[in-house]
Structure formats: C-alpha cells, structure tokens
Amino acid sequence: MRSSIHHFWEASLELHESGVAFSIVTLTHIRGHAPQEMGAKMLVTSDGRFWGTVGGGNVEARAIEHAQALLKALPNNQTKTVYPPETLTWNLQRDVGMTCGGEVTFLFEIDQRAKGWSIVVFGAGHVAQALIRTLDTLNCKITCVDSRQEWLEKLPNTPKLTKICVPDLREYLNNADPNSYFTIMTKGHALDFEMLEAIYMRFPNARYVGCIGSDVKTIKLRTDLKAKGIAPEVIENLHCPIGLDIGTNDPHEIAISIAAQLLQVRDLESKL
C-alpha cells in the first residue's frame, strides 16, 4: 500500500500510467454506525489495497476481496469491453460479522483505461530500443528482458516499462503472464530459437509470438521447432518475420510495423 501518496488522483494516475488494472471502492451510503465517513475511497489492485481506506477491519477486508474478484473476472485484452459500476449494500452485523449495527453501501468501479495488456520484449538491441519507445505511447505494460545491463540502461525510465536483467532469458518464463504478447529480438539466431522453443513448450497457446528475422531465417526456425516436437498448428501461429509487411529496415520503421501487428492481433481477439 502506497502510504506516501496523499491524494486519490495522484494514486490513481500512478496506476493508470503503469497500465495496472484497479478498482475504485467508494463508500456511498451509511445507515446507523459505520467505521468510516461517507465518500471515503480506496484503490484496490489484484495484489490488494493500494491506497486509501473505507473503514478497516472486516468491512474493508470484504470490500477488498470483492474488488479483487471483479478484477480477476476481467476478460484479458478486451479493450473495448465496458465494465459497469456495481453497488452493494452490506449489513455490518449479518453480512460482515462486525459488532456495529449499521449498514453500508459501496460503489465498485473498474478503471476502464487500464486493461493489463502485457507485452514482453526479449532483447534490448536497436530494434527493441525503438519498439519500446513506440509501445510506451500505447496503453500497455512492457517488460524488456536481456542479459546485457548496459543495453537495458539505454531504455527510457517510464512507469509502463519493467527492465529485467537475467543471464538466461528463459528464466523469465517461470513467472511470466501466460496472456502476454511475446516478441523476440535477442542478440542472435541461436538465442532467438532458444526463446521460441521455451515459450512454445511452456505456453503453446500464447496469444502472440513474434520473432525478428528474414524469410530464410523463418524457414530455418520453423523447421527446427518442428524437429523439437512443437506441434505444426502451434508453429503456424508464429509471426516471423515479425511485424506487418510495411516500411524499410530502419529500426524505427520496423518498430512501427511490429506495434501495428500487435494492435491488429489484439483487436482481432476483442471481436472474437
């Protein structure tokens, strides 16, 4: 919980700019006694209470639990889905188990702008540098994974970006969000293939897997993946060469083509 943040709007802006989905809980009505004043607000993420309080104790724990359940039920990457506000009234004795004889009504709202679209970039080279700067203008969460700290340090410091330095990039997959969009642009063909194999072994139904490379490299990658036992229908979903067939080989134009393809796949999913 961020006790250093004093204002509701400051706290909610931090979450929004970080691309973290959250629920706004507001105490809208009180009958009898209640442990907090009407209008009290609290921000809740999937990790729990982030800011504010609506009374503490059992009633707050119940509100946090319900807010987290709403967040858990959010469809993944459904950027055009509108989640309506919900109002719940609880009797503090009967419903919450408190000694107070009052009744409280809470309004639960989901931040419509933070949808938790997660994009992982393996590699921090020239194309990745351009891609991450392009993605930073979109409503998404970005993770860049590389073994080279000096390249990670060249990336911008932005609330949307998490930089991870590990000697073996495959380690990241142990805690990766399976709903992430995975882009691969490491320092060499061999490492690109290692990452593709690891992703498909762990997440055969990954929403998006894209790898940078030429047409010749694509044939080689697909052949090698098949030899490793990756199912043909899984390999068929590989986006390689990555990005839409537009622009030149300039890193910034490649970045735009990749971002466009990511948006294309995301929006296609939202219509299914």
Side-chain angles (χ1 to χ4, degrees), residues 2-272:
R2 302 298 178 91
S3 58
S4 61
I5 298 177
H6 302 293
H7 302 291
F8 164 77
W9 294 113
E10 181 184 3
S12 58
L13 180 62
E14 178 179 330
L15 288 172
H16 170 62
E17 290 185 342
S18 300
V20 176
F22 63 97
S23 176
I24 305 168
V25 184
T26 307
L27 179 58
T28 60
H29 182 73
I30 299 171
R31 184 179 65 80
H33 298 285
Q36 184 57 280
E37 296 181 356
M38 194 163 62
K41 287 183 178 291
M42 176 174 65
L43 301 178
V44 179
T45 70
S46 59
D47 293 327
R49 181 166 64 101
F50 180 83
W51 177 92
T53 178
V54 291
N58 290 347
V59 67
E60 184 161 283
R62 179 75 178 274
I64 292 172
E65 180 182 359
H66 186 73
Q68 288 178 306
L70 293 177
L71 292 170
K72 185 177 181 180
L74 282 175
N76 289 303
N77 302 310
Q78 297 294 312
T79 58
K80 297 179 181 178
T81 298
V82 176
Y83 196 93
E86 179 180 18
T87 300
L88 289 179
T89 299
W90 293 327
N91 181 285
L92 294 179
Q93 286 184 329
R94 183 181 64 250
D95 299 323
V96 184
M98 298 179 67
T99 57
C100 303
E103 190 176 81
V104 294
T105 299
F106 289 112
L107 174 67
F108 295 86
E109 301 172 277
I110 300 296
D111 177 53
Q112 299 294 338
R113 298 162 297 178
K115 298 299 180 181
W117 184 26
S118 174
I119 302 171
V120 181
V121 181
F122 291 103
H126 297 294
V127 175
Q129 295 282 331
L131 175 61
I132 287 169
R133 285 170 170 79
T134 300
L135 294 177
D136 189 42
T137 65
L138 305 178
N139 184 21
C140 62
K141 296 184 293 183
I142 315 160
T143 302
C144 184
V145 187
D146 204 309
S147 60
R148 303 166 295 177
Q149 184 64 39
E150 66 274 18
W151 280 93
L152 289 170
E153 289 175 356
K154 295 179 181 180
L155 291 167
N157 294 316
T158 165
K160 296 180 183 178
L161 174 62
T162 300
K163 308 174 190 179
I164 297 179
C165 186
V166 288
D168 186 341
L169 275 57
R170 293 171 294 185
E171 293 178 24
Y172 172 79
L173 297 175
N174 294 330
N175 299 304
D177 179 356
N179 294 307
S180 297
Y181 285 35
F182 298 105
T183 65
I184 303 168
M185 48 195 71
T186 71
K187 57 186 178 181
H189 171 88
L191 186 52
D192 284 349
F193 175 74
E194 284 184 3
M195 290 311 306
L196 279 174
E197 181 187 9
I199 290 170
Y200 280 137
M201 290 294 289
R202 192 173 186 90
F203 306 119
N205 297 316
R207 295 175 178 274
Y208 176 95
V209 180
C211 184
I212 197 165
S214 63
D215 291 333
V216 174
K217 178 179 176 179
T218 298
I219 295 172
K220 174 65 174 171
L221 287 173
R222 291 179 182 273
T223 300
D224 291 346
L225 287 169
K226 184 177 180 181
K228 287 289 186 176
I230 305 300
E233 60 270 22
V234 173
I235 300 173
E236 184 65 26
N237 291 325
L238 171 62
H239 296 274
C240 187
I242 194 172
L244 300 183
D245 188 14
I246 56 174
T248 68
N249 286 330
D250 178 84
H252 297 283
E253 294 195 16
I254 295 173
I256 291 171
S257 77
I258 296 171
Q261 187 175 68
L262 290 166
L263 288 167
Q264 185 182 65
V265 173
R266 184 203 68 182
D267 290 351
L268 179 62
E269 281 191 345
S270 70
K271 296 176 183 178
L272 298 179

